[in-house]
Amino acid sequence: MTNKRQAEKIRAGNGFVAALDQSGGSTPKALALYGVPEDAYSSEAEMFDLIHAMRARIAQAPDFNGSKVIGAILFEMTMDREIGGKPSAQYLWEEREVVPFLKVDKGLEHASDGVRLMKPMPDLDALCARAARAGIFGTKMRSVIDAASATGIEAIVAQQFEVGRQILAHGLIPIIEPEVTISINDKAEAEALLLDALTRHLDALPTGTEVMLKLTLPEKAGCYDPLTRHPAVLRVVALSGGYSRDEANRRLAQNSGIVASFSRALTEGLSADQSDAEFNQTIGATIDSIHSASIAG
């Protein structure tokens, strides 16, 4: 029953998916933007304690609830910790009606043929089983496209769907994320190739199978409209990809049927030094702006 309710929340919910899944590699930058410099901690354990405190503060803000935030993507260590005295995934769903997802990839391989594939995930089955027990609804895995290479993009999409089928076998919904780097000169051409590859792989899924897609906001508004209508797609969400929140919101508002799944743009303007009132006011205004862009059109 919970999974059916969660699936409907993601399918038709009037809101966006928060990305709270910074990994070990991106955590120092996320903390620095939050006003916590690297000399404020002396070990990886302390670093992860600080980023968890930031995530927990966001999740417990009054406006972080299912009326505007329909889902949240967690880092593995966040899943294993508590928020508000409950296991994180349980807190999100039971206290906030926010559907919990888990980042499962282990980072990227070196660039080849214009793309960066995902590193092997030998422990994926065990992680998925643990996630299902923890109340996680779905997963997220990221790879990166740096050029309009037809063969490279096909390799990225093929790998994403291969791993996605492994995740589906555990009863979890995979978020397939082939990110297109926003600074490349041939971004629009890469997006056209990506649309074609994604459509072919979606068409090949068994009838009744559903996945989610997390995509870079495209150069051509409406580029991904066919994906939002595909029967194998539960929801299409967009990453901010390095755009400012204002620019990400502007682009998002031009693509109806796609909702946000922002990370850096979600935490922009937040600071560890803010009082609770200041913090809650800032994250509340951010949630309002991202929600408005998500439902535009």
Side-chain angles (χ1 to χ4, degrees), residues 135-151:
I136 295 290
F137 172 77
T139 66
K140 190 211 81 162
M141 50 193 174
R142 170 179 172 265
S143 43
V144 175
I145 296 167
D146 291 322
S149 163
T151 53

Side-chain angles (χ1 to χ4, degrees), residues 146-174:
D146 291 322
S149 163
T151 53
I153 290 170
E154 172 59 28
I156 276 239
V157 174
Q159 184 192 44
Q160 284 273 349
F161 275 80
E162 179 183 4
V163 178
R165 285 188 289 273
Q166 187 177 353
I167 291 163
L168 284 162
H170 290 273
L172 302 171
I173 298 294

Side-chain angles (χ1 to χ4, degrees), residues 3 6-7 10 72-74 79 89 99-104 127-128 131-132 135-141 167-168 170-176 210 212 234:
N3 278 354
Q6 291 176 340
I10 295 301
I73 305 169
L74 306 178
M79 178 185 74
V99 179
F101 293 82
L102 177 68
K103 168 187 164 68
V104 296
L127 179 57
C128 286
I136 295 290
F137 172 77
T139 66
K140 190 211 81 162
M141 50 193 174
I167 291 163
L168 284 162
H170 290 273
L172 302 171
I173 298 294
I175 300 178
I176 287 167
E210 289 183 309
M212 292 175 63
L234 179 64

